[in-house]
Amino acid sequence: MPVPARIYDLSSTANSNSPAGSDSIGTSLDDYLRSMGAIVRGDLATKGADIASATTTDLGAVQGLFHDITGTTTITGFGTVAAGVWKVLKFEGAILLTYNATSLILLGGANRLVGNGDIGVYVSEGSGNWREESFQYAAKPGFLAFKSSNTANVVGAGADYTVICDTEVYDRGGDYANGTGIFTAPRTGLYQFNCMVGVSDLSAAMTEYSVALVTSNRTYSSFFPRAVTTSVTFRQPASFLVDMDAGDTATLHINVVNGAGNTADVQGDGTTVYTSFSGALLP
Amino acid sequence: MTEDQKAILAHVLIDPEAWFENVKEVFAEGADSVLANKIAKYEPAYREALAGGNYKTRAEREALSPA
């Protein structure tokens, strides 16, 4: 007739719980009542102790409904606990959750790289199997930056120029480096990039150009003939929907060809946006 | 990175070492998790291509393709 200590010690069948009608209570009734209070509060309405990430991160061993998960060790399982137990986890660093169709069923059916502040809800299915019921990233990556001044004599005869938009309008998560023009994806997913490149001081010989998004996994290149070569300026928009893995980079490039020299300028201005680069992770 | 990890990344990246240097700078102590995520995603395709014979990295493939 043990006094239950954790919610897992209780049964959803009333007759299976202690004390039984035939048990001699003696002076133990208060122990049962107080333990029940502690179980309800401790397992259903308490932020439990932090749990260090481990290959098998044993969620059931620590009392509480909500836990911070520390460290960066790859997790392949959450340990064995009774089916129906819920845990709300807030991750405090980059941790790889390894998908398994039986033991760690994650939304999306693939590995998940979590980051600081991300929150997931997990329910035990018993026998060491867990299912992710919901997941929320802490921040949705997105940025918009523009070029604040002209850069002279950089394109025209085939030189590839990496466009650096040095002025950020916004940068949720700080994923765009305005000193280098490099966006680093904090999450794996589909990203929508929108670009505008302005070029001036063009010669009539500079008849073609391309705007490219160079990502770690592949290069997306658009190509344009200049319809009116008497104009000395163009502003070309481009957009790309691309897949990126966490850690992958994306940079914006412009290349103008057939000129006698790289004598054309990439436009920038402090107030009017001629050249810009923006991107966001799609839901 | 191990040589095997570099080989796996070279299946999809032009410059695996530059990629990982940026990851270390951006993700700091989480860099190994980011690396593990990338390796796990591309290792099957790399092993399959390697087993098929006449294997070429992405850089080698792109050097052979017309511009």
Side-chain angles (χ1 to χ4, degrees):
Chain A
M1 191 181 67
V3 175
R6 298 290 305 278
I7 201 164
Y8 324 128
D9 300 329
L10 304 179
S11 172
S12 58
T13 302
N15 287 344
S16 298
N17 290 307
S18 296
S22 58
D23 289 337
S24 176
I25 300 299
T27 59
S28 299
L29 181 59
D30 63 316
D31 294 335
Y32 284 100
L33 294 174
R34 286 188 290 195
S35 185
M36 291 299 292
I39 289 170
V40 171
R41 179 60 194 268
D43 280 318
L44 299 180
T46 291
K47 182 179 184 301
D50 293 358
I51 301 174
S53 58
T55 304
T56 299
T57 301
D58 192 357
L59 300 182
V62 185
Q63 190 171 35
L65 179 66
F66 185 94
H67 302 277
D68 291 344
I69 304 297
T70 61
T72 58
T73 303
T74 295
I75 295 173
T76 61
F78 284 142
T80 301
V81 71
V85 170
W86 291 74
K87 290 285 187 178
V88 179
L89 307 180
K90 180 169 76 68
F91 300 94
E92 295 202 323
I95 301 172
L96 180 62
L97 305 183
T98 305
Y99 171 83
N100 183 281
T102 301
S103 61
L104 191 54
I105 304 168
L106 303 174
L107 295 170
N111 293 351
R112 181 188 298 288
L113 182 67
V114 303
N116 186 23
D118 295 346
I119 292 179
V121 177
Y122 301 87
V123 62
S124 169
E125 297 187 333
S127 303
N129 301 323
W130 290 80
R131 180 182 294 274
E132 186 178 70
E133 293 292 341
S134 72
F135 189 87
Q136 182 66 49
Y137 288 117
K140 185 71 75 178
F143 74 99
L144 167 61
F146 65 89
K147 195 171 182 344
S148 66
S149 61
N150 271 13
T151 302
N153 303 324
V154 287
V155 292
D160 178 79
Y161 180 75
T162 302
V163 178
I164 298 175
C165 292
D166 59 315
T167 301
E168 293 181 346
V169 180
Y170 62 86
D171 185 7
R172 300 192 299 256
D175 305 308
Y176 179 74
N178 63 350
T180 60
I182 298 173
F183 170 79
T184 302
R187 317 276 186 216
T188 296
L190 295 177
Y191 287 79
Q192 175 70 49
F193 289 96
N194 299 311
C195 324
M196 173 82 81
V197 181
V199 177
S200 59
D201 279 350
L202 290 154
S203 71
M206 299 173 186
T207 53
E208 298 169 341
Y209 59 97
S210 66
V211 175
L213 182 77
V214 177
T215 71
S216 296
N217 287 347
R218 58 189 63 84
T219 294
Y220 304 83
S221 182
S222 58
F223 177 80
F224 305 93
R226 286 181 67 211
V228 183
T229 54
T230 52
S231 170
V232 297
T233 299
F234 70 75
R235 295 193 190 108
Q236 181 63 54
S239 61
F240 307 89
L241 175 61
V242 309
D243 68 304
M244 297 183 78
D245 304 311
D248 285 358
T249 59
T251 50
L252 176 61
H253 294 247
I254 176 73
N255 191 342
V256 181
V257 298
N258 297 332
N262 293 303
T263 55
D265 309 341
V266 175
Q267 288 185 303
D269 189 85
T271 53
T272 302
V273 176
Y274 297 131
T275 298
S276 65
F277 187 25
S278 64
L281 174 64
L282 297 183
Chain B
M1 272 196 301
T2 66
E3 291 304 313
D4 192 48
Q5 287 173 324
K6 288 179 191 173
I8 293 167
L9 292 184
H11 187 61
V12 67
L13 302 175
I14 297 289
D15 188 343
E17 296 204 39
W19 179 87
F20 192 50
E21 284 304 310
N22 183 63
V23 166
K24 285 191 287 187
E25 184 176 329
V26 172
F27 290 86
E29 71 275 11
D32 286 342
S33 295
V34 175
L35 175 63
N37 180 57
K38 188 89 171 173
I39 293 291
K41 183 171 181 179
Y42 293 100
E43 183 169 9
Y46 165 72
R47 300 285 179 214
E48 183 179 347
L50 193 64
N54 193 28
Y55 177 76
K56 289 182 173 53
T57 65
R58 178 186 165 194
E60 291 167 339
R61 294 193 303 270
E62 292 199 0
L64 292 173
S65 66

